[in-house]
Amino acid sequence: MPFALARILTNISLEEVDHMKAQPGGMKKSAVETLKSLGFALVAVIILNSFVVASFQVPTPSMENTVMTGDFLFVNKFIYGGTTPPTIPLLGILFGTEIEIPYFRTPGFRDPEQGDVIVFIFPGYRNETKARDFQFYLKRCVAVAGDTLQVIDKQVYVNGKKYDDPEGVMYVDNNIHPAGIEEDGGIFPEGKPWNRDNYGPIRIPKEGDVLPLSVDNIKEWAVFIRREGHDVELRGYDILIDGKKASSYKVERDYVFGMGDNRDNSLDSRFWGFIPYEYVIGTPMMVYWSMDPSINNIFKKIRFDRMFTIIG
């Protein structure tokens, strides 16, 4: 938009300004035309950003070395289907806060697949039905709806087969947390005796799956069911969903499982759960700008070697 504004202004000569002043309502008419041009430019940017290509800044090191903290990425939204803005445009930039609004998605070319690097709306921490703040996250899709995932001594297995680490995956901790001995109290779902290095097996929910429910496992699934829009209550030995007794629950959406490429330094689906397909908004294509946040010198912090890096 700044470039469009500059072009509009520089195309008006001093003679034209004098001419407009001499005409009745000339300056007012010019201002209206300028505002119209700016409005059209703004609408075009919003449409492009919503349905085709968006920009995303990487805030954390959870995906290093595939993408780095301080990378600015072009994100392909067209592949999974573009969406109307999920928040009020420009509000976050102007006031530092986002207000969510209803949005719809256009049909995409395909669903997220294993191995895709994905940008998605953060669903919330493990015990949150909804995230407190609207945020976009970046992880790698390692399993899709209907897959069974397990991590054994840091190695990921999907449907019983070893999932080879993509180029760029890194481990910063040589220690392995043993299965069943070192539990992580923050692991998803709540109550499972797992940790980041030994996790699962767990099935990634698929639309139509039927989950058996009991007093013993309702704690594991309560937040998941609430995220699908239902009330869950344990009353004595009875499980109530939307006020009715239930011994099972039928899954209403498809999900993916996301993990950071920096496997030992990533809060991901192992800690806060599954990602609905409709929350996935795109896949990064390229780094167009990069600045190292750990360096204060403005000239030294620019990482020219990262620019135009293709993300895969």
Side-chain angles (χ1 to χ4, degrees):
M1 285 189 299
F3 298 107
L5 176 60
R7 186 167 184 176
I8 291 168
L9 294 179
T10 54
N11 283 341
I12 302 175
S13 67
L14 293 176
E15 289 79 4
E16 289 172 318
V17 172
D18 291 336
H19 177 72
M20 286 186 290
K21 287 181 178 179
Q23 300 297 318
M27 290 298 290
K28 181 178 179 181
K29 182 178 180 181
S30 176
V32 170
E33 292 301 320
T34 299
L35 289 175
K36 283 183 178 179
S37 297
L38 289 175
F40 286 133
L42 176 60
V43 170
V45 168
I46 291 175
I47 292 174
L48 183 68
N49 185 75
S50 297
F51 296 102
V52 185
V53 176
S55 176
F56 177 81
Q57 180 183 1
V58 180
T60 70
S62 69
M63 280 295 292
E64 294 181 358
N65 289 311
T66 303
V67 293
M68 309 293 288
T69 308
D71 279 353
F72 290 77
L73 311 173
F74 283 132
V75 176
N76 179 352
K77 298 187 70 176
F78 199 59
I79 189 170
Y80 304 136
T83 65
T84 56
T87 60
I88 298 176
L90 302 181
L91 193 67
I93 297 174
L94 295 175
F95 301 104
T97 184
E98 301 280 6
I99 296 180
E100 292 185 66
I101 56 178
Y103 65 94
F104 71 88
R105 179 186 296 271
T106 59
F109 285 98
R110 64 173 178 85
D111 291 327
E113 297 176 353
Q114 185 187 57
D116 289 354
V117 179
I118 55 175
V119 176
F120 56 92
I121 300 169
F122 178 53
Y125 292 109
R126 185 187 69 178
N127 295 321
E128 291 180 333
T129 300
K130 185 177 180 60
R132 285 170 290 180
D133 300 309
F134 184 93
Q135 300 177 75
F136 289 117
Y137 270 36
L138 178 77
K139 303 293 178 186
R140 187 178 295 278
C141 172
V142 295
V144 298
D147 287 342
T148 297
L149 175 136
Q150 186 170 14
V151 181
I152 302 175
D153 294 343
K154 296 183 184 287
Q155 176 62 56
V156 177
Y157 294 84
V158 179
N159 299 326
K161 297 180 179 179
K162 180 180 177 182
Y163 172 62
D164 293 328
D165 288 340
E167 183 179 356
V169 168
M170 62 183 289
Y171 299 89
V172 295
D173 186 358
N174 293 326
N175 297 315
I176 294 178
H177 300 273
I181 299 175
E182 295 186 25
E183 299 178 13
D184 191 323
I187 213 73
F188 172 87
E190 184 179 358
K192 285 294 188 183
W194 303 339
N195 57 55
R196 73 182 187 201
D197 297 336
N198 284 278
Y199 182 93
I202 191 168
R203 177 179 167 88
I204 317 306
K206 182 178 179 65
E207 182 181 359
D209 281 356
V210 176
L211 308 175
L213 300 178
S214 68
V215 174
D216 296 328
N217 75 353
I218 188 59
K219 186 165 63 173
E220 299 173 16
W221 292 108
V223 172
F224 173 84
I225 297 171
R226 290 187 184 114
R227 286 180 179 177
E228 291 214 316
H230 302 281
D231 292 326
V232 182
E233 181 184 356
L234 180 62
R235 187 178 298 171
Y237 291 98
D238 292 329
I239 298 168
L240 303 181
I241 297 180
D242 297 332
K244 299 179 181 179
K245 290 185 181 180
S247 59
S248 64
Y249 175 76
K250 188 174 183 179
V251 176
E252 298 176 353
R253 298 188 286 186
D254 289 329
Y255 294 81
V256 299
F257 196 94
M259 292 177 66
D261 282 0
N262 188 351
R263 292 287 169 77
D264 296 329
N265 190 20
S266 173
L267 286 175
D268 49 41
S269 288
R270 291 172 292 179
F271 298 93
W272 38 254
F274 311 112
I275 307 161
Y277 275 32
E278 62 264 34
Y279 279 24
V280 180
I281 62 115
T283 182
M285 299 183 297
M286 181 185 70
V287 178
Y288 69 87
W289 183 254
S290 185
M291 300 181 73
D292 189 337
S294 66
I295 298 176
N296 293 324
N297 186 299
I298 185 63
F299 299 104
K300 293 182 178 179
K301 73 187 306 175
I302 300 174
R303 293 184 289 218
F304 291 100
D305 60 317
R306 292 288 302 163
M307 294 181 194
F308 309 113
T309 299
I310 304 300
I311 306 300

